[in-house]
Amino acid sequence: MKNIKYLLIGFLIYSSTTMAQLKAVVYKDGAQVLHGFAIAPTKKSSQKPGILILPAWKGIDKASKDIATDLSKLGYYSFVADIYGEGNYPKDNAEAGKKSGFYKTNYKEYQKRISLALEQLVKAGANPDNIVVIGYCFGGTGALEAARGQLNVKGVVSFHGGLGKDKARANEPFTAKVLVCHGADDFFESVEVLTAFQQEMRDSKADWQMIYYADAVHGFTNPEYGNDKSTGVAYNATAAKRSFEHLKLFLNEVLKK
């Protein structure tokens, strides 16, 4: 019985030191209340690397929380950003399209919400000079906007994100490194948009890489999207796994640990 007691105590100590928990964080943009989630790494380092996660077009979801938890196990502080704010969360795809479209058009407002989330990531413990922004779908657009806005980040990663921007906007220099993980069969991003984005990267003298995943369409990282490619939005387990490995390689290159 004594041995069992010691084993139980040991397990509880081990669990408390290795199992990080998402913490709800309330913050504001003026009068607008925002609700994000922070999580500390299970194994901390003096470099305190941080990752800001920008969710897809419906806002914070299970997928964005799951990736934050996964990254905490790899040694990163993470924060899941709330772009829309209390009272503005989309109820369906139509609302999501309208609300995300507002921020794509009013990109300065998007960059501002990203900046506020970065502040929360730093408050949660991350080194302000050792941060990467990652995003999914609409959030992938946001990750690129963090780089376009020259926010203080080392790199950005877009997973099946919208790559286009207004043609009237100049191609400004990029200081953040860029990784784009893109479904080879994603028809939401036209050849024209892909060509313009790659030219933007060249004009901006960016350190960039773009990886295409075979048989993958939009949303390939999220199991909740199902497997029907014909809808244009579907999960692809192989692409999801490969893109996560590419993310880890990128983070190991860009962030100090």
Side-chain angles (χ1 to χ4, degrees), residues 63-74:
S64 55
K65 293 179 182 179
D66 285 348
I67 191 66
T69 302
D70 289 342
L71 291 170
S72 74
K73 297 173 184 175
L74 297 177

Side-chain angles (χ1 to χ4, degrees), residues 18-44:
T18 61
M19 294 177 64
Q21 297 291 323
L22 283 167
K23 177 184 176 182
V25 177
V26 178
Y27 60 115
K28 287 187 175 182
D29 179 2
Q32 177 63 63
V33 177
L34 304 165
H35 297 273
F37 289 89
I39 189 168
T42 54
K43 184 178 180 180
K44 299 178 183 180

Side-chain angles (χ1 to χ4, degrees), residues 11-24:
F11 173 76
L12 291 172
I13 293 173
Y14 174 80
S15 297
S16 65
T17 58
T18 61
M19 294 177 64
Q21 297 291 323
L22 283 167
K23 177 184 176 182

Side-chain angles (χ1 to χ4, degrees), residues 75-130:
Y76 300 101
Y77 287 86
S78 295
F79 188 81
V80 185
D82 179 7
I83 300 302
Y84 299 133
E86 187 175 290
N88 296 303
Y89 304 122
K91 299 180 181 64
D92 51 34
N93 288 350
E95 282 195 13
K98 183 178 180 179
K99 292 181 182 296
S100 63
F102 169 84
Y103 286 98
K104 289 178 182 178
T105 301
N106 299 277
Y107 62 91
K108 291 288 187 181
E109 291 298 316
Y110 202 177
Q111 292 172 356
K112 181 183 179 184
R113 290 283 166 92
I114 295 168
S115 294
L116 291 171
L118 284 170
E119 291 177 5
Q120 295 303 315
L121 175 59
V122 172
K123 287 181 180 179
N127 180 341
D129 298 316
N130 197 28

Side-chain angles (χ1 to χ4, degrees), residues 1-17:
M1 289 295 293
K2 185 180 290 186
N3 289 338
I4 293 175
K5 178 181 178 182
Y6 288 142
L7 284 172
L8 179 59
I9 292 172
F11 173 76
L12 291 172
I13 293 173
Y14 174 80
S15 297
S16 65
T17 58

Side-chain angles (χ1 to χ4, degrees), residues 168-231:
R169 291 173 64 184
N171 292 335
E172 302 290 348
F174 270 45
T175 56
K177 295 184 179 182
V178 178
L179 169 63
V180 173
C181 299
H182 189 71
D185 296 338
D186 186 343
F187 53 72
F188 289 113
E189 298 296 297
S190 67
V191 172
E192 180 184 12
V193 167
L194 294 173
T195 301
F197 170 73
Q198 293 178 10
Q199 190 58 51
E200 177 190 5
M201 293 297 96
R202 296 184 183 97
D203 292 346
S204 300
K205 302 290 190 293
D207 180 344
W208 68 288
Q209 44 190 313
M210 186 169 182
I211 302 172
Y212 289 82
Y213 301 96
D215 201 37
V217 293
H218 195 71
F220 62 81
T221 61
N222 194 333
E224 294 183 0
Y225 291 154
N227 299 306
D228 185 1
K229 266 187 66 177
S230 67
T231 65

